[in-house]
Amino acid sequence: VQMALCSIWTFFVNDTKEVAEYLQRLLPGCKIVLFGQSWGTIVGSLAAFRYPSLFAAYIGTGQVTDVKNNFDTAFQHAKECAARDGDTALLKALEKDEQTAEIKFLSQSFSDAKMKYHFSTVKYQTMNEMAEAMLKAALKCPYLKLTDSLKSLAASFSLSDQYMDLVKSEEFNNYNLSNYTEEFEIPFILLEGDHDWQTPYPMAKEYYEKVKAPYKKWDTLINCAHMVQFDNLEQVTGDLKEIREII
């Protein structure tokens, strides 16, 4: 039994549909590949499922499959890492935030664990380094003007309250992709870092094994975490080139 989209996901999926339809009019005959990253994989997966005729393939990285279990699994892994490492201060902070934080996944202790144990990125050591890398990538992108990058950066700050409302919502926390579908009419491809415990890669692998699609591909990116495109751009680019040939 397929679950109906709730209002939050209907809004985002319809927005994705409108952009895809605009691209079809702008670039007639061109194939559109839908690439989702992190919580964008929620929107991407649902859009690929609902509107397969608009897309040539779906690619996910940092794939979210079950939000509540995602949070619980990631937090538990952080505690296990701190215990194994003998970091009692971090372990105590995690245990405290697990009981008291409004959103434990966004707590300072989990943020510290993510960076220390490379859940988000293997290549960069601090959040500032990662943010600087993302900004440099945006500024170097030949398809974006400087004003586009600055507007995007400003929007990310202005929408922080709305983002918090989203992650606190019942719809977000109850999201489970299997409740919507495990079947896709277009190629379904996941590129997952073997260090990604922000959106735990074993959960993505478990879902992938159940998926039915005309073409499936799973690629484990070694020494990569949640931000695979920053940890190993060369390998991600190589995967994308291979995918281009099969669609």
Side-chain angles (χ1 to χ4, degrees):
V1 177
Q2 293 174 357
M3 190 175 183
L5 290 182
C6 67
S7 58
I8 287 179
W9 303 128
T10 298
F11 173 83
F12 286 119
V13 169
N14 285 346
D15 197 38
T16 304
K17 175 178 177 284
E18 289 184 18
V19 172
E21 290 172 337
Y22 168 75
L23 290 174
Q24 285 185 329
R25 296 192 298 271
L26 182 68
L27 305 167
C30 289
K31 295 179 179 180
I32 301 172
V33 175
L34 186 55
F35 193 123
Q37 200 273 335
S38 195
W39 83 267
T41 64
I42 298 177
V43 180
S45 298
L46 295 176
F49 166 59
R50 293 286 176 172
Y51 303 109
S53 63
L54 293 176
F55 307 106
Y58 168 75
I59 304 172
T61 181
Q63 180 71 41
V64 178
T65 58
D66 180 339
V67 167
K68 185 179 185 305
N69 284 337
N70 183 132
F71 287 178
D72 290 344
T73 301
F75 210 88
Q76 179 61 31
H77 188 70
K79 291 195 298 179
E80 291 171 358
C81 287
R84 184 177 63 243
D85 197 36
D87 191 335
T88 55
L90 178 56
L91 180 58
K92 287 181 179 179
L94 287 164
E95 290 173 339
K96 179 181 178 181
D97 283 337
E98 186 173 27
Q99 300 299 320
T100 62
E102 182 177 14
I103 305 174
K104 64 182 181 181
F105 194 70
L106 298 180
S107 65
Q108 185 59 52
S109 63
F110 187 71
S111 179
D112 292 341
K114 283 195 303 180
M115 295 311 298
K116 180 172 183 177
Y117 300 115
H118 306 291
F119 292 3
S120 299
T121 172
V122 173
K123 186 174 182 179
Y124 301 102
Q125 303 300 312
T126 67
M127 292 296 291
N128 286 341
E129 286 182 14
M130 188 165 65
E132 182 180 347
M134 294 173 70
L135 180 59
K136 285 181 178 178
L139 294 175
K140 290 180 180 179
C141 178
Y143 307 108
L144 294 176
K145 300 176 183 177
L146 176 60
T147 52
D148 294 328
S149 299
L150 293 177
K151 286 179 181 178
S152 177
L153 183 63
S156 67
F157 287 111
S158 67
L159 293 174
S160 60
D161 289 341
Q162 290 91 327
Y163 175 72
M164 290 300 294
D165 289 340
L166 171 65
V167 298
K168 291 177 185 177
S169 69
E170 183 178 351
E171 293 94 336
F172 182 81
N173 286 280
N174 286 341
Y175 173 81
N176 184 325
L177 182 53
S178 287
N179 289 340
Y180 293 101
T181 189
E182 292 174 351
E183 297 185 22
F184 292 85
E185 296 179 28
I186 60 176
F188 182 89
I189 298 139
L190 295 185
L191 312 177
E192 299 291 335
D194 66 338
H195 285 265
D196 186 0
W197 284 93
Q198 185 166 327
T199 51
Y201 74 92
M203 294 181 63
K205 182 67 171 178
E206 181 180 354
Y207 178 81
Y208 171 84
E209 297 295 346
K210 295 184 286 188
V211 165
K212 294 180 181 179
Y215 173 86
K216 288 171 46 174
K217 176 181 173 66
W218 169 282
D219 192 7
T220 300
L221 282 77
I222 306 302
N223 292 324
C224 293
H226 189 60
M227 307 290 286
V228 295
Q229 63 271 48
F230 289 97
D231 280 338
N232 194 333
L233 180 59
E234 183 177 348
Q235 187 174 351
V236 172
T237 302
D239 278 333
L240 295 180
K241 287 180 178 179
E242 288 182 15
I243 293 164
R244 183 178 61 185
E245 297 303 317
I246 64 98
I247 62 170

